[in-house]
Amino acid sequence: KKLQGAHFRMLNEELYTTPSSAAVDLFEKDKSLFEAYHLGFREQTKRWPQNPVDIIIKELKKLPKSTVVADLGCGDARVAEVLPNKVHSFDLVAQNERVVACDISKVPLKDGGANAVVLSLALMGTNYDEFLREAHRLIPINGKVYVAEVRSRVEHVLEDFTAMLETMGFRVDKCDTSNTMFIMLFLTKIGKI
């Protein structure tokens, strides 16, 4: 378990400190690293009071069943598994038949192809702003974006981060800092980037 945890932390550091294209290369060379990462991730989130994807699913269930969802950095595609909606699930490696493997900075979905985007613990990589631009591209005006990020990664820059989101054409409807492990941001697309 300790070795597994160390491997997860090493991969996690790699994913946060390199662009997503490097992560694509890393996992294409050795797909077992992706599974090792997600195994460590699942173990870590078991110790959390809540998993942010469960909170996002609860929010998505409030939307009409006709809402099309794009889940960027979906892991095992839990959103698609649970929701009755059409869900497009994207991640670096396809862990199951619900997932399309791709770099989430450029997903194979047309402009406005979704009504809501999920980025649950997915803003990994030095080019995370490209993931947010991609979310913007995928939804129409008044489309929703649900972001969850590890608290330690954003709390010290939260004001700057929310200001950046506003310059990208998003309104921050809610910023939930009540969880000890992560911060949730509920966004609406209101304009162009």
Side-chain angles (χ1 to χ4, degrees), residues 34-47:
F34 190 78
E35 182 54 39
Y37 171 79
H38 278 280
L39 184 62
F41 174 80
R42 284 189 292 273
E43 286 300 314
Q44 179 177 325
T45 57
K46 281 180 188 174
R47 297 189 301 264

Side-chain angles (χ1 to χ4, degrees), residues 88 90 100-104 106-110 134 137-138:
H88 298 280
F90 304 100
V100 173
C102 68
D103 181 336
I104 64 168
K106 45 189 176 288
V107 302
L109 199 58
K110 68 180 181 172
E134 188 67 345
R137 180 186 74 79
L138 292 173

Side-chain angles (χ1 to χ4, degrees), residues 74-89:
C74 67
D76 60 6
R78 180 153 158 65
V79 173
E81 179 185 347
V82 173
L83 285 184
N85 307 57
K86 173 67 177 165
V87 179
H88 298 280
S89 303

Side-chain angles (χ1 to χ4, degrees), residues 60-61 63-69 79-80 82-87:
L60 290 168
K61 284 182 174 180
L63 300 175
K65 287 184 179 31
S66 60
T67 301
V68 177
V69 179
V79 173
V82 173
L83 285 184
N85 307 57
K86 173 67 177 165
V87 179

Side-chain angles (χ1 to χ4, degrees), residues 50-69:
Q50 287 182 292
N51 188 325
V53 78
D54 294 330
I55 296 168
I56 292 170
I57 288 169
K58 186 177 177 183
E59 290 298 313
L60 290 168
K61 284 182 174 180
K62 296 175 185 176
L63 300 175
K65 287 184 179 31
S66 60
T67 301
V68 177
V69 179

